[in-house]
Amino acid sequence: MAILEVRGLRKSFGKLEVLKGIDLSLEQGQVLSIIGSSGSGKTTLLRCINLLERPTAGKVLINGETLFDASDKSGQWEKDLRKKRLHFGFVFQSYNLIPSMTALEN
């Protein structure tokens, strides 16, 4: 069973569609690299998966349970999304790291 599954993830900013139906599945023990040119949507994808950005369409599942479903507006209140974000850790790019802390602590 996938520990993380993304189905049909879409994100638009106005008329600009940045993510166009992303699907991915990550099994326990797997490593996933997201590569692409600057502006290709890598950070937007990560921000949508951890719900720092609200996806326009699609689903995010953790261990087979739906964490976010864009078609279900009932679980999209900010207080609910804050609780759901607790499933994720996020380490920012180097300019946002705290120099006195290790990578793991950051």
Side-chain angles (χ1 to χ4, degrees):
M1 172 190 287
I3 60 170
L4 171 65
E5 194 171 351
V6 174
R7 296 182 188 163
L9 201 67
R10 294 181 174 275
K11 178 63 181 174
S12 297
F13 296 99
K15 292 183 179 182
L16 177 63
E17 188 176 32
V18 178
L19 302 178
K20 302 175 182 180
I22 304 295
D23 294 310
L24 67 88
S25 178
L26 188 63
E27 302 287 331
Q28 184 153 355
Q30 284 185 313
V31 176
L32 175 69
S33 295
I34 302 170
I35 60 173
S37 58
S38 179
S40 64
K42 301 177 301 291
T43 300
T44 300
L45 173 61
L46 292 173
R47 290 177 59 85
C48 284
I49 290 172
N50 69 13
L51 304 176
L52 290 173
E53 287 285 347
R54 202 171 299 190
T56 307
K59 291 183 179 184
V60 177
L61 296 94
I62 301 292
N63 295 320
E65 293 187 32
T66 301
L67 184 70
F68 180 85
D69 182 349
S71 66
D72 179 10
K73 303 299 182 198
S74 65
Q76 294 188 29
W77 297 98
E78 188 58 35
K79 67 181 178 87
D80 296 324
L81 294 177
R82 268 193 304 266
K83 289 178 190 175
K84 293 175 180 182
R85 286 185 194 117
L86 296 174
H87 290 277
F88 299 96
F90 195 93
V91 177
F92 293 93
Q93 295 178 17
S94 62
Y95 60 85
N96 287 327
L97 297 178
I98 301 168
S100 63
M101 297 172 76
T102 67
L104 189 57
E105 290 169 332
N106 270 286

